[in-house]
Amino acid sequence: LERLRSTDAQQVFRAVFELNRLGERARVAIPDLLRVARADESELRQAAVNMLAVVAADDPRTKAMALEALDDACPFVRREALQALIEVPGLSAADLARIKDRETDADEDVAEWSEIALRNILASKETDQLDGAADVGD
């Protein structure tokens, strides 16, 4: 956790990727990850958005940061935001519309990931609804 607060970008980068080893305890790093997700270096922003979805997909701050990252100047960060949003529960119609807007992104990979993200999100919603229906019958 100390390395997340380092001024050395390489130390921060490594620390971000090592967080998942902490399991549930990694959630204490959410404030640091949110700060790193706004760093000057696009690689750090990309890594932080990814790790937020890994360690705290259900945290509303993760959702807010991933949605914010959809407008990042770097296409790699935008693509990572789309991948992160697949893991985030409780997306609204407005959130899905923001994801769909990326289908016209200037970067072809981002545009493609918009379609992939929407497909995966909608498939998981259908699965959740089917699971809920099965629970009602039990």
Side-chain angles (χ1 to χ4, degrees):
L1 293 175
E2 272 183 40
R3 287 190 291 149
L4 277 175
R5 297 177 188 120
S6 173
T7 56
D8 179 348
Q10 290 293 343
Q11 289 285 333
V12 175
F13 189 79
R14 277 186 246 131
V16 168
F17 279 106
E18 291 176 8
L19 277 175
N20 64 348
R21 295 181 2 183
L22 296 176
E24 186 66 22
R25 294 179 304 155
R27 292 179 73 90
V28 301
I30 293 171
D32 292 310
L33 285 171
L34 291 167
R35 182 185 47 73
V36 173
R38 290 186 175 98
D40 290 337
E41 298 86 355
S42 62
E43 297 84 7
L44 290 178
R45 295 193 310 273
Q46 182 181 0
V49 169
N50 170 284
M51 193 53 61
L52 279 164
V54 170
V55 302
D58 61 337
D59 190 295
R61 295 172 292 181
T62 296
K63 175 182 166 181
M65 179 52 68
L67 289 169
E68 180 182 322
L70 288 177
D71 297 322
D72 196 277
C74 177
F76 296 113
V77 176
R78 294 193 306 272
R79 190 175 67 216
E80 201 65 54
L82 290 164
Q83 291 175 354
L85 286 164
I86 294 170
E87 303 303 321
V88 172
L91 295 173
S92 69
D95 300 333
L96 296 176
R98 292 218 31 223
I99 294 168
K100 186 164 181 57
D101 287 345
R102 289 288 125 209
E103 287 181 352
T104 59
D105 196 280
D107 185 88
E108 289 180 21
D109 290 334
V110 173
E112 183 179 342
W113 265 102
S114 173
E115 295 175 37
I116 293 167
L118 281 173
R119 241 190 340 254
N120 282 299
I121 291 165
L122 295 174
S124 71
K125 281 186 175 207
E126 290 172 10
T127 301
D128 290 346
Q129 288 172 351
L130 290 175
D131 290 345
D135 293 341
V136 171
D138 290 343

